[in-house]
Amino acid sequence: MPDIYIISKYYNINLEGKGYIMERFITEEMLLKYREHLYEEEKPESTVKKYMRDLRKLAGYMAGREVTKKLVAGYKKYLKEKKGYKLTSINSFLVAANRFFEYLGWYDMKVRTYRIQKEVFVPESRNLSKAEYKRLVKAALNKGKKRLAMIIQTVCATGMRISELACVTFESVAEGVVEIYCKGKQRIILLPGKLRKKLQRYIKENRIVSGVVFCTSGGKAVDRSNIWKEMKLIGEEAGIYRGKVFPHNLRHLFAKEFYAAGKDIAKLADVLGHSNIETTRGYIKSTSTEHQKLLNRMGLVLESA
């Protein structure tokens, strides 16, 4: 059990053999130690950052009060009724809280997540089409954002995560193969011929001789948040609905195009690096328009009725 467990409320035995009760409070020191624990568990940087954001939200709600089951249940209600978050977002906040409670040994503080029916189709407001993707790339080039245009194409043409861009190096482009190690798994991504040529040209123009291809002016690998902001601005220039323009949607577009070409969901799961094929199914859902067309083709409504 981690050192931080000493501030939880439980019946313990001190050095003199006497029992005593300790209280439960969320402190900054506790959060920092939990962050180190997540790193030791080899959680991705993006996961660690999200958990810390979510837990600080929980700590803010507690406002220095002792953590009780009643307050945690109130937090769940607060997120839904006062803050108006979607149930999927609330569940992600609660999962972060529950895992934090497990780490501390506060098992009686855990709360249930909301049960959500799986979406049958993707709403049009979230679906990034291939045509919109092309407009996004062209808008980036027209604004002189060559690095962004190249990043968008690299992610969309390979299906890699935005956090995996650091694996695209001078050496991997030369070989035409990107080796990725993420979430405890290793996978190999082949660079399409056209993309590889574009990357080689980009490398030559930017005088890159080794290491990571997509870097900041300071030499560090580009950060997801910076790419997200740049994409939003370019999306506005391209006249694309803001809710469709975010890095992970490029991965979804890749998945839909890959599946449409081969109808092999098992192979797609391997390419995307999914352990559970159910996760992959979520990437290839049809849009509401496509679903409507399917319903119409069924011909179950009689003309004369």
Side-chain angles (χ1 to χ4, degrees), residues 88-100:
T88 50
S89 297
I90 295 173
N91 280 349
S92 71
F93 299 149
L94 296 180
V95 166
N98 285 341
R99 290 181 180 173
F100 181 54

Side-chain angles (χ1 to χ4, degrees), residues 6-169:
I6 61 173
I7 69 171
S8 67
K9 191 174 189 178
Y10 66 109
Y11 190 78
N12 199 359
I13 303 297
N14 63 15
L15 294 177
E16 297 177 357
K18 297 178 180 179
Y20 60 94
I21 297 293
M22 303 190 77
E23 297 177 327
R24 297 168 172 169
F25 293 94
I26 297 176
T27 66
E28 182 64 19
E29 180 185 6
M30 179 190 297
L31 294 175
L32 293 177
K33 286 194 174 183
Y34 182 59
R35 184 177 67 181
E36 289 306 309
H37 168 73
L38 292 175
Y39 281 128
E40 289 171 3
E41 291 287 306
E42 298 184 7
K43 299 295 184 185
E45 180 73 21
S46 57
T47 300
V48 175
K49 287 182 177 179
K50 184 185 183 306
Y51 270 32
M52 297 312 295
R53 285 196 306 271
D54 293 352
L55 291 175
R56 287 200 163 88
K57 192 186 302 293
L58 171 66
Y61 176 82
M62 294 301 165
R65 295 173 291 179
E66 180 183 357
V67 179
T68 64
K69 186 61 176 283
K70 184 178 180 180
L71 272 179
V72 178
Y75 173 64
K76 177 180 176 180
K77 186 176 181 181
Y78 163 80
L79 292 171
K80 183 175 185 292
E81 298 181 3
K82 297 293 184 181
K83 300 300 290 183
Y85 286 111
K86 293 181 179 179
L87 295 186
T88 50
S89 297
I90 295 173
N91 280 349
S92 71
F93 299 149
L94 296 180
V95 166
N98 285 341
R99 290 181 180 173
F100 181 54
F101 294 151
E102 288 176 358
Y103 165 76
L104 296 170
W106 300 356
Y107 298 101
D108 55 322
M109 291 296 105
K110 293 174 62 177
V111 292
R112 293 180 182 177
T113 55
Y114 288 102
R115 295 184 66 179
I116 304 173
Q117 182 180 2
K118 291 182 179 180
E119 291 180 327
V120 178
F121 53 82
V122 179
E124 294 291 346
S125 60
R126 289 213 317 267
N127 180 62
L128 181 69
S129 69
K130 191 173 182 179
E132 289 171 325
Y133 155 70
K134 291 179 178 179
R135 278 162 49 196
L136 199 62
V137 174
K138 288 180 180 178
L141 291 172
N142 290 338
K143 278 290 182 179
K145 300 278 188 179
K146 292 184 178 181
R147 185 184 69 181
L148 179 62
M150 201 66 251
I151 286 174
I152 292 173
Q153 291 177 87
T154 300
V155 172
C156 200
T158 62
M160 68 174 60
R161 299 176 178 87
I162 204 74
S163 60
E164 296 169 341
L165 274 175
C167 297
V168 180
T169 63

Side-chain angles (χ1 to χ4, degrees), residues 163-192:
S163 60
E164 296 169 341
L165 274 175
C167 297
V168 180
T169 63
F170 174 91
E171 293 77 13
S172 66
V173 173
E175 294 177 7
V177 175
V178 179
E179 185 175 319
I180 291 176
Y181 185 80
C182 181
K183 297 184 177 182
K185 301 187 291 278
Q186 182 190 44
R187 74 183 195 282
I188 302 297
I189 289 180
L190 298 177
L191 296 175

